[in-house]
Amino acid sequence: GAGVSQSPSNKVTEKGKDVELRCDPISGHTALYWYRQSLGQGLEFLIYFQGNSAPDKSGLPSDRFSAERTGGSVSTLTIQRTQQEDSAVYLCASSSVRIAGTETQYFGPGTRLLVL
Amino acid sequence: DQQVKQNSPSLSVQEGRISILNCDYTNSMFDYFLWYKKYPAEGPTFLISISSIKDKNEDGRFTVFLNKSAKHLSLHIVPSQPGDSAVYFCAASARGPGAGSYQLTFGKGTKLSVIP
């Protein structure tokens, strides 16, 4: 596709349930990022994938959060045992290889997660 | 500990006038700065970026100025148009040797309203 796509666009779940969020990056982009935006806040970095390298998980807020990227393309962010504070918009971004001037990140529309 | 700060949560400007959005940062390792625009229910859209080796970058109606000594950057939009009404996020990354992912650190955003 032309841009980054994410699914579902909206997700309502009950506290304690697991959720999976999906991201399809721009074709050919080797870098993929997950961010989240809580109400009234800026975007907060969660995790980064670059090619076949080990992911940078330094932004994950707890061990309930995990992500994987299969085949260097599609990524899934999983939140286990969701809590109300996990309610946020989860945004995925992708960028080209790490060459100066080409690393601009392009964002998907986000998944709005509401934990009741 | 906010490393990127946008101290004005909102700004109103008359159509045709200049909009100036400001951003301050504290991390001296940041060497690449971006502005994103976000409409409700959409992901952020890349607007313009600037490397720390420059002090100005211009793209059409948008100009970004960087003052490294003051750790300050600003986005100028001239002339402002009603379609520019959105939330504008300032973001920064560190790309130097030893940098991990090119994760972006975002400000909380400034909501711009351009009045017809």
Side-chain angles (χ1 to χ4, degrees):
Chain A
V4 178
S5 61
Q6 292 185 246
S7 61
S9 54
N10 293 281
K11 177 72 177 179
V12 181
T13 190
E14 293 179 349
K15 178 181 172 181
K17 296 285 181 69
D18 297 352
V19 295
E20 281 191 355
L21 313 178
R22 177 187 167 105
C23 171
D24 276 284
I26 292 172
S27 178
H29 279 190
T30 56
L32 186 148
Y33 301 76
W34 283 97
Y35 294 85
R36 74 174 176 182
Q37 184 182 16
S38 303
L39 191 63
Q41 302 296 314
L43 281 73
E44 172 192 4
F45 166 75
L46 296 177
I47 189 169
Y48 160 74
F49 296 91
Q50 169 61 39
N52 294 321
S53 302
D56 176 356
K57 305 179 182 180
S58 60
L60 294 179
S62 79
D63 59 8
R64 296 186 295 104
F65 288 72
S66 63
E68 61 178 23
R69 189 179 185 192
T70 53
S73 181
V74 171
S75 177
T76 302
L77 176 69
T78 301
I79 309 174
Q80 295 179 310
R81 304 181 303 281
T82 52
Q83 303 294 313
Q84 289 179 332
E85 61 262 29
D86 299 335
S87 297
V89 178
Y90 288 81
L91 290 150
C92 175
S94 70
S95 69
S96 187
V97 296
R98 290 169 57 177
I99 298 173
T102 66
E103 66 273 68
T104 296
Q105 295 177 29
Y106 296 90
F107 284 82
T111 293
R112 283 146 195 82
L113 175 66
L114 177 61
V115 182
L116 300 176
Chain B
D1 176 26
Q2 262 195 287
Q3 297 188 59
V4 177
K5 298 178 184 178
Q6 294 176 256
N7 291 320
S8 298
S10 63
L11 175 69
S12 289
V13 172
Q14 205 73 30
E15 180 179 5
R17 300 289 186 100
I18 184 171
S19 295
I20 299 176
L21 297 105
N22 293 302
C23 178
D24 297 289
Y25 62 96
T26 57
N27 188 341
S28 57
M29 298 299 292
F30 288 148
D31 59 359
Y32 190 63
F33 305 89
L34 309 90
W35 284 94
Y36 284 84
K37 171 180 176 180
K38 187 178 183 302
Y39 293 115
E42 294 184 11
T45 302
F46 170 72
L47 264 181
I48 192 169
S49 63
I50 188 167
S51 164
S52 59
I53 62 173
K54 295 185 175 181
D55 55 18
K56 177 183 175 181
N57 189 25
E58 191 172 353
D59 183 2
R61 296 186 297 112
F62 302 90
T63 303
V64 55
F65 295 92
L66 176 63
N67 182 334
K68 280 192 301 181
S69 61
K71 293 191 176 67
H72 177 83
L73 65 155
S74 60
L75 174 68
H76 292 208
I77 307 172
V78 55
S80 301
Q81 300 173 354
D84 296 331
S85 297
V87 177
Y88 288 78
F89 288 97
C90 171
S93 71
R95 303 175 306 167
S101 64
Y102 287 174
Q103 60 175 277
L104 296 175
T105 300
F106 283 83
K108 292 187 177 182
T110 296
K111 183 176 181 180
L112 174 66
S113 300
V114 180
I115 305 162

